[in-house]
Amino acid sequence: MLKILKYSFYDLMRSRWSYVYFLFYLILGFVLLFLNNDVNKAVITLMNIIIVLTPLIGTIFGVMYYYNSREFTELLLAQPINRKKIFMGQYIGISISLTLSLVLGLGIPFVLYGLFKSAAIFNFGLLLVVGSFLNFIFVALSYNIALSTENKIKGFGFAILMWLFLAVIYDGAFLISLVMFDEYPLDKFSLIATMFNPIDLSRILILLKLDISALLGYTGAVFRKFFGTNLGMVLSMSILVLWVLIPVIRINLKLRKKDF
Amino acid sequence: MIEFKNLHKNFGKLVVLNNLDLSISEGGIFAILGPNGSGKTTLIKCLLGMVIPQKGEITYKDKSVLGKWDYRNDLNYLPQIANFPPNLTVQELIEMVKNLRPKQANEKDLIKLFGLNDSLQKKLGNLSGGTKQKVNIVLTFMFDSNLIILDEPTNGLDPIALINLKELIQKEKEKGKTILITTHIMSFVDEMANEIVFILDGKIYFKGSVDALKEKTNNSNLEHAIANLISKQYA
């Protein structure tokens, strides 16, 4: 598996798009720091971008890589290697190369700016951890979609819809339900609903660490009580881990019956 | 050496292999023929473990291959479409495949034979279709395996490369290897094959030597003999 991982990783590292992605974050990091002049504020702006953009890029890279390397995957399938190892190698290769673009692209400007002397290092660290999780989650989800859809265009469409649903539509539906049922106690409901969407979960996790939860009112206080504790932190991290594991397990189950 | 027993595969409503039985003995060149969509590639992919049959059993050297992967160390496969990661160079790809198999590879002679020395440092995305097919052939023949499976090996090759390929196949045959070929080029079959396996509607319609086929269809020309078999399906 390590060999496949290595080659997928090298292949992507040499692709133009990885550099574009890396440069984008690099420029974004520098611009935000010099416009804001405040690491904490830069982290909040970055969060808004990362939380929407990393899932989108992860989804697109995952689907594109799967469909583009289909013939090559067939060549690998004819070699004496276990199927699962081929796909797990590719999956981890894509996820790591995207994560590297994110961490290096944002890390370099922040380190140059003097991050290690700032108190924001934990918030920034959390941001990168959450961003990496989102990469792993959305590449796994998009691989699931690509494996289940033979048609390239359809697969691409489904993947984008999935992203749109989790990044935008879910929030809308969530908000509408909050307004509709605002006579009922909704704190538990909203807490649970947040868990079912990795993007929302990541957003709440970062917001609460940034001490701006006062803006969120009563629900914010409930959230703070929950996520602010160590238990809440551990629980939400484990849910992010589950969001990686469940799609990965489904990939492996799907592979058992898949024809190439 | 290879046994297909009662093999059944359908994609949705489309039945591709219909309780197919076939046994292939060791040594020689077997041409797998049939009209488009008759199940040739599916049959080969079942043997390779890429397509999973609904029913039936496949054995290679008396061992079942379904769900296994280590038997593939003893076979070489040339896929129909050669499409490689565009950002790797030819050299890196060859090294990678060598790396993946616990076997001695002999790629130097093949690279020379197909004149690929100048292309070794080029990225695979910049190669022409024919050159990619040559790389594909090098990857297939660089290992010493008992079974060689070629799916449309002549695609996009220039005449010199084609002659080289034929010589290569003959050499492997003389070493006592089993070679399975699918192709639509009948002159290639006439020249190379020891035995023909003709698939129609997911079943083996004919299996035997080229001469036996000509005799059966009353046709001295192989191309017409095969056309004769196929036209029966259309009738």
Side-chain angles (χ1 to χ4, degrees), chain A residues 3-4 7 11 14-15 71-72 74-83 255-260, chain B residues 9 11 45 49-52 69 72-73 77 79 83-85 87 92-93 96-97 99-101 136:
Chain A
K3 287 171 189 164
I4 308 271
Y7 281 99
D11 185 32
R14 259 179 266 174
S15 115
E71 286 91 359
F72 181 63
E74 285 187 18
L75 185 100
L76 291 179
L77 284 166
Q79 305 298 329
I81 321 166
N82 194 338
R83 252 181 199 209
L255 279 179
R256 278 198 207 157
K257 299 221 165 140
K258 170 93 180 154
D259 296 322
F260 289 92
Chain B
K9 177 72 196 175
F11 295 107
K45 285 188 169 178
M50 290 158 80
V51 170
I52 295 157
W69 52 271
R72 288 201 287 264
N73 199 24
Y77 168 59
N83 215 342
F84 305 117
N87 295 312
E92 281 165 332
L93 180 74
M96 171 188 182
V97 176
N99 217 329
L100 288 172
R101 290 180 77 150
N136 206 2

Side-chain angles (χ1 to χ4, degrees), chain A residues 73-145:
Chain A
T73 307
E74 285 187 18
L75 185 100
L76 291 179
L77 284 166
Q79 305 298 329
I81 321 166
N82 194 338
R83 252 181 199 209
K84 282 182 185 170
K85 289 186 180 163
I86 296 174
F87 285 89
M88 284 301 107
Q90 288 183 349
Y91 163 64
I92 297 171
I94 305 170
S95 306
I96 290 184
S97 81
L98 288 179
T99 304
L100 210 67
S101 291
L102 172 77
V103 171
L104 287 181
L106 289 182
I108 291 172
F110 274 74
V111 168
L112 289 181
Y113 191 78
L115 174 79
F116 291 120
K117 285 177 219 142
S118 138
I121 185 158
F122 287 108
N123 293 340
F124 184 70
L126 183 69
L127 188 72
L128 290 187
V129 170
V130 165
S132 313
F133 263 118
L134 287 175
N135 270 331
F136 276 84
I137 291 169
F138 278 84
V139 174
L141 289 174
S142 65
Y143 243 67
N144 264 299
I145 291 173

Side-chain angles (χ1 to χ4, degrees), chain A residues 227-248:
Chain A
F227 287 103
T229 59
N230 280 337
L231 178 76
M233 192 76 181
V234 169
L235 194 71
S236 36
M237 280 294 168
S238 350
I239 287 166
L240 282 180
V241 171
L242 277 185
W243 265 103
V244 179
L245 281 183
I246 293 170
V248 167

